[in-house]
Amino acid sequence: MTSKKVKQIAIYGKGGIGKSTTTSNISAALAKAGYKVMQFGCDPKSDSTNTLRGGKYIPTVLDTLREKKTVKAHEVIFEGFSGVYCVEAGGPAPGVGCAGRGIITAVQLFKQQRIFEELDLDYVIYDVLGDVVCGGFAVPIREGIAEHVFTVSSADFMAIYAANNLFKGIQKYSNSGGALLGGVIANSINAPYATEIIDDFVKQTNTQVVEYVPRSVTVTQSELQGKTTIEAAPNSEQAKVYTRLAQKIANHTESKAPSPLGVKELREWASKWADYLLALETGEVKSNALGL
Ligand code: ADP
Ligand code: MG
C-alpha cells in the first residue's frame, strides 16, 4: 500500500501577532472538512495548540525527553478538536540553550518513527516563532520539511520587519531545496490604511496576500472558552474568514521565492508610510492621496 503524500506548511510571524490563533483555526477548519491534520507548535511558549484542547497545555517533546531517555512519538501527540493531532516541540529552560532545539529534536523523532506515514496525515502545519530565523527556527524552511511558508503579519512596522526577515531566510535557502513562500496572512486588518500598507508591502516584495483577517472580539471570546472560533462560533463572520483561508491554504500549490527589501529600502518604505499616517492623523489627507 502506498500512502498519500503529506502536505507540510509552516506559518511564521512575530511573537504575539496571531500565529497560533490563525494556525489553530486553519487546523480546526481543515479537520472539520474531513482532513487528517497535525498542528506542530514550534514556539518555546508552547501554547500553540491550547485552543484546540480546551485551553489546556500539553507536555512538550523536550520536557518529555528530559524525563526519560527514549520517547515514542505517540507519547507526545495529543488529540484535539475534530481529531487534530497536537504537538508542542517545547523549549529549553529560560536562559539556557537554543530555543530552536525543540524543533530539531521533535522533527528528528517523528522522522525516525515515520509517524506522518503511520497516521496517514493530509496536512502538518508548523506554527513557528519568526522573530529570529536562526538555527532551529529555520529548520522547517531550510531542510525542505515544509513545502509552503505563510507569514502572519499586521500592518505594524515590527510585524512587517519580521516578515521581511523571514523572506530573507526563505530567499537564502530557495536554491537548495528550501521551502518557498505561499504568501502573507494579513491579520488584525480593520482600518483601510492597514490594507493599503500590507498591499504595498506584498507588491514591493513580490508576494501576495492570501487572506485579510479582521480583528474581532469573537476571537477573544472563543479563546476565553479555550476554543478556536471554528469550534466556539462556527456561524460567525470570523469563522467564515478562517474557513476560506483554510481552503485557500489547502488548495495552494504555487509558492515562490520572495524579494525582501534591503535594510535601507525597508526603512525608507516605512518612513513614507509613517508620513502618510501622520498626515491622516492630523487631517491633512483624507484617503490615500499620496498615491504611494
Ligand atoms: P502568536 O502565536 O503569534 O504569539 P497568538 O495567536 O497567541 O499570537 O495571539 C496573541 C493574542 O492576539 C491572542 O490573545 C489572540 O486571541 C489575539 N488575536 C490574534 N488574532 C486576532 C484577531 N484576528 N482578532 C482578535 N484577536 C486576535
Ligand atoms: Mg503562538
Side-chain angles (χ1 to χ4, degrees), residues 12-25 43 45 47-48 51 127-131 152 186-190 213-224 229 238 242:
Y12 279 78
K14 176 188 162 298
I17 203 63
K19 291 179 299 295
S20 301
T21 306
T22 312
T23 309
S24 301
N25 276 291
D43 187 324
K45 245 200 294 175
D47 63 351
S48 172
T51 55
D127 168 8
V128 202
L129 180 64
D131 289 82
V152 178
N187 191 35
S188 298
I189 303 297
N190 293 51
V213 181
R215 190 155 193 92
S216 160
V217 183
T218 311
V219 175
T220 318
Q221 280 175 332
S222 309
E223 188 178 271
L224 288 170
T229 301
Q238 193 75 7
Y242 286 130

